[in-house]
């Protein structure tokens, strides 16, 4: 199965930036990383997991949650089996554990849904005011 490992989180002041990485390894049903659309999700304390951003398998299409538009940028490097999330202008409400996952299909509607029924350990992002 596909293994996911998030990294790059940390403590940052409001207005600061962080770049998260998600390294994928392994494969399922003969598929490779480059055939998966990928997404980022987050879970704040006491809240459910929510969609953040996704990028199509080809890298040609992206979608963002409304509150992240203009601040976050998702990208991928298929040669490195890695997807990134550049986060700028961070706010205290961005504090959460951030997870990556493969996502469904490659449209702006379907890519908001996680594909795999398991998650990596996530990476903690804490934004101080």
């Amino acid at each position: 199965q596909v293994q996911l490992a998030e990294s790059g989180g940390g403590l940052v002041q409001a207005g600061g930036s962080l770049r998260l990485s998600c390294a994928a390894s392994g494969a399922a049903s003969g598929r490779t990383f480059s055939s998966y659309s990928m997404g980022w999700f987050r879970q704040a304390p006491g809240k459910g997991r929510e969609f953040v951003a996704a990028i199509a398998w080809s890298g040609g299409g992206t979608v963002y949650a409304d509150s992240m538009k203009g601040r976050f940028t998702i990208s991928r490097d298929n040669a490195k089996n890695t997807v990134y999330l550049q986060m700028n202008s961070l706010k205290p409400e961005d504090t959460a554990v951030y997870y990556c996952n493969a996502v469904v299909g490659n449209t702006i509607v379907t890519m908001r849904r996680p594909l795999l029924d398991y998650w990596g350990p996530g990476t903690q992002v804490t934004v101080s005011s």
Side-chain angles (χ1 to χ4, degrees):
Q1 64 181 14
V2 177
Q3 304 295 324
L4 304 166
E6 304 89 348
S7 63
L11 173 63
V12 63
Q13 289 187 331
S17 299
L18 283 173
R19 188 194 195 204
L20 307 183
S21 299
C22 170
S25 61
S29 303
R31 295 183 66 180
T32 59
F33 172 79
S34 61
S35 71
Y36 289 102
S37 296
M38 296 294 295
W40 285 94
F41 300 79
R42 70 184 186 184
Q43 186 165 19
K47 296 186 178 181
R49 189 172 282 136
E50 65 173 342
F51 169 76
V52 173
I55 185 167
W57 64 269
S58 64
T62 58
V63 60
Y64 298 88
D66 287 345
S67 61
M68 288 73 165
K69 287 180 181 177
R71 300 190 300 124
F72 291 9
T73 302
I74 189 171
S75 61
R76 66 188 296 160
D77 185 339
N78 287 341
K80 296 182 179 180
N81 287 358
T82 302
V83 61
Y84 304 97
L85 185 68
Q86 177 67 44
M87 306 187 295
N88 299 327
S89 302
L90 283 163
K91 305 174 182 180
E93 51 264 43
D94 293 318
T95 295
V97 179
Y98 284 71
Y99 303 88
C100 67
N101 203 323
V103 295
V104 176
N106 62 355
T107 74
I108 62 173
V109 173
T110 63
M111 288 198 295
R112 296 173 182 268
R113 306 200 305 264
L115 177 65
L116 306 176
D117 59 3
Y118 56 89
W119 299 86
T123 186
Q124 175 71 49
V125 172
T126 303
V127 184
S128 63
S129 58

